[in-house]
Amino acid sequence: MADENSLRERLIDVGVHLVLTEGSASVGLREIARRAGVSHGAPRRYFATHHALLSAVARRGFEDLAARFETAVDPEAPPRAQLERLAKTYVGYALECRGMFELMFRHDLLDGAQQHDDGPQLRTSTLPLFERMAALVGRCGEGPDVVHRPGPPGSSAVPPVVTAAALWSGLHGIAQLWTWGSLQLALATPPPGDEELDRLVTAVLDAHLGPVTA
């Protein structure tokens, strides 16, 4: 059993390397088998379909991203500072690991592929990230359940889960549009434009949480 688990992990390792160096389109069962030095049929013992293998590779991406959060975010820092570090790490990961980031959010994988043990769908790997963000958003408010943002008199408070969803959407949009070069074009900013990228992340935080005041 140990050897079987080792081979399965080795196949995933090869898949991760291919995604990070050549993109998700390069990850096929036969190519992974060739690079792992096993028969073409070997991956089928662990992954019933191509998508099942890609799902396992993408799950590694979520594990890597979670580990980066743990390194980057100081749990003793104020909630807003933690959110800023989380946000910049998220966008930075998307730009550094483009192939993996794209694979992690493929809807055909999230909606259909399961692990070899009939475990939870890949989409559930996003929940810890979102729950952590929502918890921090809640701590940025005046109470545990609501976040108060600047708005017109009489406007309703926005629940943390809604604010967190909007914030996540904004960060994901920055990552995708920056990868495609659309934001650089719109802002007339030549690559790499790191300062502009940081300002965009801060602007998204300010839009949903209000600016930091001295």
Side-chain angles (χ1 to χ4, degrees):
M1 181 62 69
D3 289 342
E4 290 292 300
N5 289 337
S6 177
L7 177 54
R8 182 180 183 276
E9 293 303 306
R10 180 151 58 95
L11 292 169
I12 298 174
D13 289 342
V14 172
V16 169
H17 177 74
L18 279 170
V19 168
L20 292 175
T21 58
E22 302 180 24
S24 59
S26 65
V27 183
L29 293 176
R30 291 177 65 89
E31 180 61 16
I32 285 181
R34 186 184 71 81
R35 297 201 183 197
V38 298
S39 68
H40 290 162
R44 293 290 185 183
R45 299 206 304 267
Y46 311 98
F47 307 102
T49 66
H50 181 216
H51 277 182
L53 173 57
L54 289 177
S55 180
V57 171
R59 196 176 294 276
R60 285 280 192 87
F62 282 110
E63 293 171 357
D64 182 21
L65 182 58
R68 294 185 185 215
F69 286 156
E70 293 304 318
T71 300
V73 177
D74 178 3
E76 301 301 322
R80 175 59 180 266
Q82 292 187 51
L83 274 172
E84 183 172 356
R85 291 301 305 160
L86 186 151
K88 290 181 178 179
T89 300
Y90 185 82
V91 174
Y93 180 85
L95 301 185
E96 177 186 344
C97 307
R98 295 183 181 185
M100 182 64 78
F101 188 79
E102 176 186 350
L103 181 64
M104 288 160 60
F105 294 97
R106 286 264 304 273
H107 290 297
D108 54 339
L109 299 179
L110 304 184
D111 291 341
Q114 292 184 327
Q115 295 289 357
H116 72 295
D117 57 359
D118 293 325
Q121 291 183 329
L122 179 63
R123 74 171 76 185
T124 61
S125 295
T126 65
L127 292 179
L129 160 67
F130 181 70
E131 291 167 354
R132 181 172 189 175
M133 185 178 294
L136 287 172
V137 168
R139 289 174 56 196
C140 288
E142 297 176 357
D145 299 320
V146 295
V147 170
H148 297 280
R149 296 185 299 124
S155 62
S156 301
V158 180
V161 66
V162 174
T163 299
L167 177 58
W168 182 19
S169 299
L171 296 173
H172 200 89
I174 288 175
Q176 290 286 20
L177 292 172
W178 193 269
T179 295
W180 296 334
S182 300
L183 285 175
Q184 295 92 318
L185 180 63
L187 298 173
T189 303
D194 290 339
E195 292 184 2
E196 288 77 8
L197 186 61
D198 284 347
R199 281 199 287 266
L200 283 170
V201 171
T202 299
V204 169
L205 290 168
D206 288 349
H208 295 294
L209 301 174
V212 176
T213 58

